[in-house]
Amino acid sequence: MKFEAATIKDIAKALGLSTSTVSRALRDSHEISEETKKLVLKYAAQINYRPNPIALSLKEKRSRSIGVIVTEIANSFFSQAINGIESVAKERGYNVIISQSHESFEKEVQTLNYLSSRSIDGLLISVSAATKDLEHLRALHDRGFPIVFFDRIVEDIQTHKVVIENFRGAYDATMHLLQNGYRNIACITASENLSISRERIAGYVEALAHKQLKPSKSLIKYCPNGGMELAEVEQAVSQLLKLRPRPDAIFTTGDKLTTGCLRVLRARNVSIPGDIALVGFSNSDLIELMNPPLTVVRQPAFEMGEVATDLLLQLIESKRPVKDFERRILTTSLIVNESGNRK
Amino acid sequence: MKFEAATIKDIAKALGLSTSTVSRALRDSHEISEETKKLVLKYAAQINYRPNPIALSLKEKRSRSIGVIVTEIANSFFSQAINGIESVAKERGYNVIISQSHESFEKEVQTLNYLSSRSIDGLLISVSAATKDLEHLRALHDRGFPIVFFDRIVEDIQTHKVVIENFRGAYDATMHLLQNGYRNIACITASENLSISRERIAGYVEALAHKQLKPSKSLIKYCPNGGMELAEVEQAVSQLLKLRPRPDAIFTTGDKLTTGCLRVLRARNVSIPGDIALVGFSNSDLIELMNPPLTVVRQPAFEMGEVATDLLLQLIESKRPVKDFERRILTTSLIVNESGNRK
DNA sequence: TTGAAAGCGCTAACAT
DNA sequence: ATGTTAGCGCTTTCAA
């Protein structure tokens, strides 16, 4: 059913004024007499008048909404980031419209088309693991549509980007394993398309190189869906367990990969870190409660959301085309628990 | 910066047609010649024309957006529910606008006012733990605004509601503890304002009554913020530990309370279930990985989101005022792990 | 088959 | 100090 609300016209009619007078009175214009203002304000309050944001949007050619595309809301990193996004957006008077790509390229494109037309003023996106073709994003960007990438960014499109020190985070995690005596360290990562995968692998490789180690190809396993399906993690772990010599540690580059890996190892009764150590990226706030408590690389998700939103609003509210784009780099922290301790 | 897109007017001008002809051609009206249609469609595709959803909204008096208010996105139950909401909404062509109340009444009211005007066609809400006064909701509802409550509902407002068998879930969890030999079972719950708290406590009390037990007042602890702050859980647990005889088990009625309680007990080196058993509501998908693996009451969060959205869209799209409201009751499941096992 | 015009709710330039 | 009018992009009635 339709929900009819009061308009400026209703007020004007009731008070025998013109709509423009009412409009001005409501906006406290100086060219309206105090008397009239009072009258209008009082009546408006009485009938609980609310300006229609859609009419405003049409007039101002802006919706005061921003779109967010992430792979999955039910992922601690993203839900924390959205939390940050929402807090800044709300503070600045913007709505947040959320969509999920579920790591599917098609869904990402579809969602983007859906959101982009003109119902959002700008977009925050962390691309799906399946995203190789960038046409959907580039087309928008080329037409001047404000876009900010966060976390899973795209290098080829010039706009603001918010990332973490992926290389450093991975390096630190791997180094932690090395310092604890592990030498045959495997890596389970998401799709190679992703900037974050490539950088994290690079950090892992570099740490090993520091100890004059070079991982064989068989030590690096890819999960195209980023661990969304446990089966892919199961397969990766299974292959690693068959290697001889068997890896003595695993480094995982994403939330779902880390918990998925823990799940698989425990199901197979592999003792952690006794048989195999495990260190990975995760933003779950339950890691200390796990068995064993996990050593993880933690990303400042909330802050990333805040920063990305702030940059996006800068783009949206800028009077002139922005040419200088920023790349904000936030730091990770290694939270040490038991899963990566000395063997 | 502004992002200018093509309009029907541009097409009309370029093709020497009127805007109404273009409009009709785009909507494949039968009163337009095939020739003209082809021409228009071709040109529209060429300049990548997209109808302006805001103009449509103004015309149709609907925004094809629904609002969602939850306490916190970064809570497994809510993020899963939102996932369900988003899936149904998108399928039916609606945007989802998300806001968080962070268990604050003021934020809930503020957000509601912000969303309600006319930028959303309806609202899905799970009220905050602090919500006692219902005026903000009632005012909207009385004006015919479509609202559906889910999980944390409000009995006094007549509309569709989606709940789970709170009583049953709590009863089952408590009974599980009883069957495992625990007799002195405490309960940690959220604000008593909440329907779910009251019902879950009732289920807990009834299960005890079944064994001719009656919990003393001191065994039931309230956390007004629903466990959002660990301190309140710490205090509750602390008080319970001081009781003589000391409780041999704890039943928690919410996600944050369950994991918070586990955190506190572990910090105090209380062995679970050796010293104290723990069973509670939780929708985390990591419970099996915890130490000890938690026995939990799981809610069908995704499904609740789906059902609630479906009901909301029914309200929104109904031609006439809806009088018959549904109360959909979904079932919980007890996932048995070790934390509630025999002592 | 096509076009002109009105209207959705609001603001603002331009009268009065 | 207040009113008239046009216009944001689109659909739709009415006219041609």
Side-chain angles (χ1 to χ4, degrees):
Chain A
M1 62 156 292
K2 280 270 166 49
F3 163 69
E4 307 283 350
T7 72
I8 253 182
K9 218 169 165 181
D10 299 330
I11 303 182
K13 206 177 295 173
L15 266 42
L17 293 169
S18 77
T19 58
S20 41
T21 302
V22 174
S23 169
R24 278 181 278 232
L26 289 169
R27 337 190 74 241
D28 200 28
S29 159
H30 59 273
E31 40 184 7
I32 300 293
S33 74
E34 284 307 316
E35 230 177 339
T36 312
K37 275 187 197 169
K38 241 179 246 169
L39 195 68
V40 169
L41 255 24
K42 191 180 154 205
Y43 186 71
Q46 190 183 320
I47 64 170
N48 192 29
Y49 168 80
R50 308 264 164 188
N52 181 334
I54 292 175
L56 276 173
S57 293
L58 184 60
K59 185 116 238 298
E60 297 177 4
K61 300 197 176 201
R62 63 206 315 267
S63 61
R64 289 202 156 263
S65 295
I66 60 174
V68 179
I69 301 182
V70 297
T71 55
E72 242 207 341
I73 297 167
N75 168 307
S76 46
F77 171 75
F78 288 120
S79 59
Q80 290 162 25
I82 290 172
N83 203 334
I85 291 169
E86 206 256 353
S87 73
V88 171
K90 187 192 239 173
E91 188 185 291
R92 308 263 294 261
Y94 283 78
N95 281 321
V96 176
I97 298 181
I98 301 198
S99 278
Q100 312 184 70
S101 66
H102 295 287
E103 301 289 21
S104 144
F105 177 67
E106 287 70 31
K107 281 202 180 139
E108 182 176 299
V109 174
Q110 185 192 327
T111 290
L112 192 62
N113 287 334
Y114 181 58
L115 286 181
S116 62
S117 348
R118 256 158 309 183
S119 65
I120 57 172
D121 297 339
L123 177 74
L124 292 173
I125 183 170
S126 201
V127 298
S128 91
T131 303
K132 276 179 150 168
D133 181 356
L134 303 177
E135 270 323 299
H136 57 308
L137 290 163
R138 203 190 304 277
L140 263 187
H141 179 251
D142 286 352
R143 282 187 292 149
F145 191 85
I147 300 178
V148 170
F149 292 99
F150 72 101
D151 194 48
R152 294 149 159 232
I153 64 167
V154 150
E155 291 297 355
D156 292 355
I157 296 182
Q158 300 307 314
T159 181
H160 292 324
K161 288 161 194 167
V162 181
V163 294
I164 52 144
E165 294 182 328
N166 287 302
F167 182 93
R168 177 67 177 278
Y171 181 93
D172 290 350
T174 311
M175 193 50 84
H176 176 76
L177 286 168
L178 288 166
Q179 282 164 351
N180 276 274
Y182 299 97
R183 286 297 177 270
N184 195 14
I185 304 171
C187 173
I188 300 182
T189 189
S191 162
E192 213 177 353
N193 297 333
L194 291 174
S195 54
I196 56 173
S197 288
R198 294 192 303 269
E199 293 172 21
R200 291 174 192 177
I201 293 173
Y204 151 82
V205 169
E206 178 66 18
L208 292 179
H210 228 254
K211 294 274 182 192
Q212 280 75 47
L213 295 170
K214 191 173 178 328
S216 75
K217 271 215 160 175
S218 55
L219 278 177
I220 304 180
K221 295 292 172 200
Y222 294 92
C223 293
N225 286 306
M228 287 262 295
E229 286 145 33
L230 190 61
E232 55 179 356
V233 183
E234 241 158 10
Q235 196 189 356
V237 171
S238 170
Q239 288 172 358
L240 290 176
L241 291 180
K242 282 190 199 123
L243 293 178
R244 292 294 172 271
R246 200 170 82 166
D248 55 6
I250 300 179
F251 163 60
T252 47
T253 68
D255 220 310
K256 292 268 173 191
L257 296 172
T258 306
T259 53
C261 192
L262 174 59
R263 207 180 291 271
V264 173
L265 290 175
R266 287 198 39 191
R268 302 195 174 201
N269 285 315
V270 175
S271 149
I272 306 170
D275 296 338
I276 293 187
L278 174 63
V279 171
F281 277 70
S282 172
N283 263 61
S284 166
D285 52 1
L286 301 173
I287 53 157
E288 305 88 357
L289 302 179
M290 303 213 194
N291 185 12
L294 291 182
T295 293
V296 299
V297 182
R298 169 70 44 95
Q299 307 185 62
F302 184 88
E303 196 187 345
M304 286 181 85
E306 288 182 310
V307 171
T309 308
D310 186 59
L311 289 172
L312 181 62
L313 295 185
Q314 272 181 35
L315 280 187
I316 291 174
E317 294 176 352
S318 156
K319 305 285 181 218
R320 56 196 72 261
V322 177
K323 294 286 176 201
D324 278 343
F325 294 112
E326 289 190 48
R327 185 190 188 90
R328 293 284 182 84
I329 304 175
L330 307 184
T331 58
T332 59
S333 41
L334 187 70
I335 302 182
V336 176
N337 283 299
E338 293 164 27
S339 71
N341 283 0
R342 189 165 301 279
K343 44 174 167 178
Chain B
M1 60 155 294
K2 284 270 165 48
F3 164 69
E4 308 283 350
T7 72
I8 253 183
K9 219 169 163 181
D10 299 330
I11 303 182
K13 205 177 298 173
L15 268 40
L17 293 168
S18 77
T19 57
S20 36
T21 303
V22 174
S23 170
R24 278 182 276 234
L26 288 170
R27 338 192 71 242
D28 199 27
S29 159
H30 58 273
E31 41 185 7
I32 300 293
S33 74
E34 284 308 317
E35 231 178 339
T36 312
K37 275 188 198 168
K38 239 179 246 170
L39 196 68
V40 170
L41 256 24
K42 191 180 155 204
Y43 187 71
Q46 190 183 319
I47 64 170
N48 192 29
Y49 167 81
R50 308 263 165 189
N52 181 335
I54 292 175
L56 277 172
S57 294
L58 184 59
K59 185 118 238 302
E60 298 177 5
K61 302 197 176 201
R62 63 205 318 267
S63 61
R64 289 202 155 264
S65 295
I66 60 175
V68 179
I69 301 182
V70 297
T71 55
E72 242 206 341
I73 297 166
N75 167 308
S76 46
F77 172 74
F78 288 120
S79 60
Q80 289 161 26
I82 290 172
N83 203 333
I85 291 168
E86 206 255 354
S87 74
V88 172
K90 187 191 238 174
E91 188 186 291
R92 307 262 293 261
Y94 282 77
N95 280 322
V96 176
I97 298 181
I98 300 198
S99 278
Q100 312 183 70
S101 65
H102 296 287
E103 300 290 21
S104 145
F105 176 67
E106 287 69 33
K107 280 201 181 141
E108 182 176 297
V109 174
Q110 185 191 326
T111 291
L112 192 62
N113 286 334
Y114 181 58
L115 286 182
S116 62
S117 349
R118 255 156 311 184
S119 67
I120 57 171
D121 296 339
L123 177 73
L124 291 173
I125 184 171
S126 201
V127 299
S128 91
T131 303
K132 275 180 151 167
D133 180 356
L134 303 177
E135 270 324 298
H136 56 307
L137 290 164
R138 204 190 304 277
L140 263 187
H141 179 251
D142 287 351
R143 284 188 290 148
F145 192 85
I147 300 178
V148 170
F149 292 99
F150 71 100
D151 194 47
R152 295 150 158 230
I153 63 167
V154 151
E155 290 297 355
D156 292 354
I157 296 182
Q158 300 308 314
T159 181
H160 292 323
K161 288 161 194 166
V162 180
V163 295
I164 52 143
E165 294 182 327
N166 287 301
F167 182 94
R168 176 68 176 278
Y171 182 93
D172 289 349
T174 311
M175 195 48 87
H176 176 76
L177 287 167
L178 287 166
Q179 282 165 350
N180 277 273
Y182 298 97
R183 286 295 178 272
N184 195 12
I185 305 171
C187 172
I188 300 181
T189 189
S191 162
E192 213 178 351
N193 296 334
L194 292 174
S195 54
I196 55 172
S197 288
R198 293 193 302 270
E199 294 171 21
R200 290 173 193 178
I201 293 173
Y204 152 81
V205 170
E206 177 67 17
L208 291 179
H210 228 254
K211 294 273 183 192
Q212 279 74 47
L213 295 171
K214 191 172 177 325
S216 75
K217 270 215 161 178
S218 57
L219 277 177
I220 303 181
K221 295 293 173 199
Y222 295 92
C223 292
N225 286 306
M228 287 262 295
E229 286 145 33
L230 190 61
E232 54 179 356
V233 183
E234 241 157 12
Q235 197 188 354
V237 171
S238 171
Q239 288 171 359
L240 290 177
L241 291 181
K242 282 190 199 125
L243 293 179
R244 293 296 173 269
R246 200 170 83 167
D248 54 7
I250 300 179
F251 163 59
T252 47
T253 69
D255 219 311
K256 292 267 173 192
L257 296 172
T258 306
T259 53
C261 193
L262 174 59
R263 207 181 290 270
V264 173
L265 290 176
R266 286 197 39 189
R268 302 192 175 205
N269 285 315
V270 175
S271 148
I272 306 170
D275 296 338
I276 293 187
L278 175 63
V279 171
F281 277 71
S282 172
N283 263 62
S284 166
D285 52 0
L286 300 174
I287 53 157
E288 305 88 358
L289 302 179
M290 303 213 194
N291 184 14
L294 291 182
T295 292
V296 299
V297 182
R298 168 71 43 95
Q299 307 184 61
F302 184 88
E303 196 187 344
M304 286 180 85
E306 288 182 310
V307 171
T309 308
D310 186 58
L311 288 172
L312 181 63
L313 295 185
Q314 272 181 34
L315 280 187
I316 292 174
E317 294 176 353
S318 155
K319 304 286 181 218
R320 54 196 71 262
V322 177
K323 293 288 175 200
D324 279 344
F325 294 112
E326 289 189 47
R327 184 191 188 90
R328 293 283 181 86
I329 304 175
L330 307 185
T331 58
T332 59
S333 41
L334 187 71
I335 302 182
V336 176
N337 283 300
E338 293 164 27
S339 70
N341 284 0
R342 190 165 299 279
K343 41 174 169 180

